[in-house]
Amino acid sequence: MKTLLLGFVLGIALVCAGAYLYFSLGFAPVATAAPPMPFEEKMANMALHARIAKEAPSGVPVPADETNLIAGAQLYREDCAVCHGLTGLPETAIAKGMFPKPPQFFQGHDVTDDPVGQTYWIAKNGIRLTGMPGFGLSLSEQQLWQVSLLLAHADKLPPSAQKVLSGSPASQSAHN
């Protein structure tokens, strides 16, 4: 019994020492162009989805009307487009250099299937170690909901909100 317990403790100590050496000797991939570590993506996604399921709001206190969708489009253009892209424009240099790659929402990778509360939670809190900042300290609750509603309705936006996202210089100067 003592031998089994000693073997178990030594096994755990060896695994911990191996992990310590893996990181401390510089074997862990840390550059954005490096492939993910073993189980990195699975563990991070599991933790993220569990946390969002636990904390994301289920109700939406802001109506998905044209005014809020336009406001969401303007906020998206200012704060989100540099990483997540705009309609008709190529991926930015910033987005190309990120790991993990940020989804390009208006180029075939919409989040319209995600519950609005999930998108709100991500916009408010961010996602650690991904480059996705939390905007909870810089945007109001109203603004967070407006951006979340915009993304939830990305496939059926009114023309006025589409124009803000079009990437055309006219919509940029109209915004400023």
Side-chain angles (χ1 to χ4, degrees), residues 92-122:
T92 66
I94 290 172
K96 286 179 183 176
M98 294 181 75
F99 179 85
K101 289 275 183 216
Q104 300 299 294
F105 294 137
F106 294 97
Q107 300 198 15
H109 304 289
D110 296 335
V111 291
T112 55
D113 294 340
D114 294 344
V116 180
Q118 178 176 324
T119 304
Y120 166 85
W121 188 96
I122 292 170

Side-chain angles (χ1 to χ4, degrees), residues 15-67:
V15 168
C16 291
Y20 175 80
L21 290 172
Y22 177 74
F23 288 99
S24 67
L25 295 176
F27 289 109
V30 295
T32 59
M37 288 183 283
F39 304 108
E40 177 182 1
E41 192 172 350
K42 182 170 180 54
M43 298 299 284
N45 282 329
M46 184 171 49
L48 176 65
H49 294 302
R51 187 66 175 251
I52 289 173
K54 186 167 100 172
E55 294 180 355
S58 57
V60 181
V62 175
D65 58 20
E66 188 171 9
T67 302

